[in-house]
């Protein structure tokens, strides 16, 4: 069974530029999460989807961050414009509706210069 | 509100020694508890989880953890450390609501294993 796939693995951009991250969850997983992991910290939830519906986006900075999960499968997280403080690892995870554990992708390491 | 505290941001042990990583949680409702491991430049891998039932939970790679409600703890142990255990370990708590919870992570503990 394939795991959660994220791309790109690494991204370097200049501040004020836009950036997008892509996530393909495990097949059959209807719950999808985007987490932010700052250096030396534990991950923090940005947004959680149940199928195509964002059911928890209270931690998503909506002035510059947006996310979508069309058709309830793949998801894209976008930052526009990026700031220096956005440098971090962005983790995607997926899970089943009837389970609590989440399975994580390898993450996208973003560096804003 | 739920929270997780991991005592010790860095733990160093000798190969073959006991590994003990401490985790305390705060939750107003019965929690689901998890330990994840993260190797450099990798995502998080589930080591073990506690939901209900037996309070001593066994996971992968010889790790186990015990849920102690009276102490609000979920410490991770391994009897004999191996060099390959060197990684970052995260304790997390989940409260299932709306038929699907979110994970609240601790700050992480970096485990070093000396030869």
């Amino acid at each position: 069974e394939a795991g959660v796939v994220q791309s790109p693995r690494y991204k370097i951009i200049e501040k004020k530029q836009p950036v997008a991250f892509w996530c393909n969850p495990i097949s059959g997983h209807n719950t999808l999460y985007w987490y932010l992991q700052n250096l030396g910290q534990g991950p923090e939830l940005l947004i959680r989807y149940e199928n195509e519906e964002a059911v928890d986006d209270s931690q998503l900075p909506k002035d510059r961050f947006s996310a979508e999960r069309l058709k309830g499968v793949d998801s894209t997280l976008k930052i526009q414009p990026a700031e220096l403080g956005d440098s971090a690892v962005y983790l995607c995870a997926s899970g089943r509706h009837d389970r609590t554990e989440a399975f994580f992708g390898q993450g996208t390491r973003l560096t804003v210069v | 509100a739920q929270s997780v505290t991991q005592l010790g941001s860095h733990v160093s042990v000798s190969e073959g020694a006991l590994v003990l990583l401490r985790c305390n949680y705060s939750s107003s409702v019965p929690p689901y508890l998890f330990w994840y491991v993260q190797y450099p430049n990798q995502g998080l891998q589930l080591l073990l989880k506690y939901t209900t039932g037996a309070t001593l939970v066994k996971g992968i790679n010889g790790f186990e953890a015990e849920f102690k409600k009276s102490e609000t703890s979920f410490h991770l142990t391994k009897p004999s450390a191996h060099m390959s255990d060197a990684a970052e370990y995260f304790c997390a708590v989940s409260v299932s609501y709306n038929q699907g919870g979110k994970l609240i992570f601790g700050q992480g503990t970096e485990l070093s294993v000396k030869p």
Side-chain angles (χ1 to χ4, degrees):
Chain A
E1 179 182 83
V4 176
V5 179
Q6 291 187 246
S7 68
R9 287 293 315 278
Y10 304 92
K11 187 75 175 179
I12 301 174
I13 62 170
E14 294 183 344
K15 62 182 180 181
K16 300 185 181 180
Q17 295 302 306
V19 64
F21 314 124
W22 176 80
C23 174
N24 178 240
I26 294 172
S27 177
H29 283 191
N30 57 319
T31 304
L32 184 145
Y33 312 79
W34 282 103
Y35 282 86
L36 165 68
Q37 186 177 22
N38 286 305
L39 185 65
Q41 304 289 320
E44 299 175 4
L45 182 70
L46 288 174
I47 189 168
R48 176 170 67 95
Y49 282 91
E50 290 289 343
N51 299 307
E52 66 274 11
E53 181 183 1
V55 297
D56 185 352
D57 63 355
S58 57
Q59 302 301 312
L60 190 72
K62 298 180 182 62
D63 57 336
R64 298 184 300 106
F65 286 66
S66 64
E68 61 182 10
R69 192 185 183 196
L70 300 177
K71 301 182 180 179
V73 182
D74 294 0
S75 178
T76 302
L77 178 68
K78 298 178 181 177
I79 307 174
Q80 184 172 11
E83 297 179 352
L84 294 176
D86 296 331
S87 295
V89 176
Y90 292 82
L91 293 164
C92 180
S94 69
R96 280 175 45 175
H97 185 70
D98 57 345
R99 299 286 184 89
T100 54
E101 69 264 33
F103 295 86
F104 285 80
Q106 291 187 305
T108 295
R109 181 177 297 277
L110 173 68
T111 302
V112 182
V113 298
Chain B
Q2 290 73 41
S3 66
V4 175
T5 301
Q6 291 184 238
L7 300 177
S9 58
H10 186 259
V11 171
S12 181
V13 301
S14 297
E15 191 172 21
L18 171 71
V19 175
L20 171 61
L21 304 182
R22 300 176 186 275
C23 172
N24 288 89
Y25 70 91
S26 172
S27 176
S28 56
V29 297
Y32 297 159
L33 295 162
F34 306 82
W35 276 99
Y36 282 86
V37 60
Q38 186 176 36
Y39 297 99
N41 298 316
Q42 299 294 316
L44 279 73
Q45 179 183 8
L46 181 66
L47 275 178
L48 49 80
K49 64 177 180 179
Y50 169 80
T51 54
T52 59
T55 57
L56 182 62
V57 180
K58 295 185 184 299
I60 62 172
N61 301 338
F63 284 94
E64 62 182 35
E66 186 172 10
F67 170 59
K68 293 186 176 181
K69 183 178 179 181
S70 61
E71 299 177 7
T72 61
S73 69
F74 191 57
H75 301 332
L76 181 71
T77 60
K78 182 175 181 178
S80 177
H82 192 274
M83 296 296 291
S84 61
D85 294 328
E88 187 91 18
Y89 291 80
F90 293 94
C91 181
V93 63
S94 171
V95 176
S96 182
Y97 65 96
N98 293 336
Q99 300 179 323
K102 70 181 183 183
L103 294 172
I104 297 172
F105 286 87
Q107 297 284 71
T109 297
E110 183 181 0
L111 176 66
S112 299
V113 181
K114 299 175 292 186

